[in-house]
Amino acid sequence: MVFISFIRTFAPMKQIEKYFPKLTAEQKEQFAALDALYHEWNEKINVISRKDIDNLYEHHVLHSLAIGRFIHFKPSSQILDFGTGGGFPGVPLSILFPDCEFKLIDGTGKKIRVAQEVCNAIGLKNCHPEHLRGEDEKGKYDFVVSRAVMPLYDLLKIVRKNIAKEQRNAMPNGVICLKGGDLQAETQPFRKIVESTELSTYFEEEWFKEKHVIYVPVG
């Protein structure tokens, strides 16, 4: 099993290191450990489609890390991952930005359990999963991140209360979402302030075409 996991992980890890060449040895170990952990937990609690689990690194880990290509969070930044499921994008981003604090929330307790167990297993101290609905989250954060959780208008309606007024990053505080497909209608209400970047700007793999990172500053 260890050998199979190594074979399954080797090429994807090279893929991650290609785009993030400054990873420390500890970060590389943490990313490499995700394969066996998510395969094991997905057998118990289905947080990733069984058809897609073997694409873990490209479709889930690297996809999550697109936010890390869009913005480099300054140390001590506070980020809320809204609707994290089994830990995406929050777990990969927590590995990438060890000097920032991430809170991961989801309304489904069993999914949060997976995220917590993964954090425990890789010693991720800056990542804090919690079983909580977005409407009940009271904290203040520099950014709220999410991955195709709900329409942008609905998401902003819930999380606007959670955006801190104090600024510490080069970009104004706000919401950063990973989404795919035709987003014109969804972003139309925010057309004067929304920023949409194609992920093919960052990654050359075919899968990232027609996928975007959407940023809305919240003042």
Side-chain angles (χ1 to χ4, degrees):
M1 285 296 293
V2 173
F3 181 73
I4 293 173
S5 181
F6 172 79
I7 294 296
R8 209 166 46 203
T9 306
F10 181 77
M13 278 304 301
K14 289 298 182 184
Q15 187 180 37
I16 290 175
E17 291 175 39
K18 176 174 70 173
Y19 295 115
F20 299 93
K22 296 182 179 180
L23 296 175
T24 65
E26 182 180 20
Q27 287 172 313
K28 291 177 184 179
E29 289 176 4
Q30 289 173 324
F31 278 124
L34 297 181
D35 178 78
L37 287 166
Y38 275 106
H39 272 81
E40 177 185 349
W41 277 102
N42 214 55
E43 289 296 320
K44 305 171 187 175
I45 299 170
N46 190 22
V47 293
I48 296 172
S49 165
R50 296 267 158 76
K51 296 179 180 179
D52 202 36
I53 186 65
D54 288 334
N55 297 312
L56 173 72
Y57 282 92
E58 184 172 307
H59 294 186
H60 301 277
V61 177
L62 198 57
H63 187 214
S64 297
L65 293 175
I67 292 175
R69 295 296 299 270
F70 177 74
I71 179 174
H72 187 89
F73 296 120
K74 287 190 176 180
S76 300
S77 291
Q78 305 287 318
I79 298 107
L80 175 69
D81 179 2
F82 180 97
T84 190
F88 300 101
V91 167
L93 289 175
S94 297
I95 297 173
L96 187 64
F97 296 105
D99 295 327
C100 299
E101 292 292 323
F102 291 80
K103 183 173 181 179
L104 283 53
I105 63 172
D106 199 279
T108 305
K110 62 182 181 179
K111 292 182 179 180
I112 282 294
R113 182 190 173 195
V114 174
Q116 185 62 70
E117 293 289 349
V118 169
C119 290
N120 292 345
I122 63 176
L124 205 52
K125 304 298 185 184
N126 64 326
C127 188
H128 313 285
E130 185 175 336
H131 180 204
L132 189 69
R133 296 172 67 248
E135 290 84 352
D136 299 324
E137 172 59 50
K138 307 300 183 186
K140 298 290 185 180
Y141 302 88
D142 300 300
F143 293 94
V144 174
V145 299
S146 77
R147 203 169 71 121
V149 171
M150 62 175 61
L152 191 58
Y153 179 84
D154 297 331
L155 176 62
L156 276 159
K157 190 175 179 180
I158 295 172
V159 303
R160 189 177 293 274
K161 69 184 187 309
N162 301 115
I163 304 297
K165 294 190 180 300
E166 180 185 353
Q167 304 285 330
R168 75 179 92 215
N169 285 272
M171 285 184 176
N173 296 352
V175 173
I176 304 173
C177 301
L178 293 166
K179 289 180 173 286
D182 186 355
L183 299 170
Q184 186 172 352
E186 188 171 344
T187 58
Q188 178 66 16
F190 312 99
R191 63 190 180 280
K192 293 183 179 180
I193 58 172
V194 71
E195 184 175 338
S196 177
T197 305
E198 294 183 4
L199 296 194
S200 55
T201 303
Y202 307 131
F203 306 132
E204 63 186 18
E205 288 78 4
E206 185 74 20
W207 187 81
F208 292 103
K209 290 185 177 180
E210 299 185 4
K211 293 180 173 59
H212 303 77
V213 58
I214 305 295
Y215 163 61
V216 181
V218 177

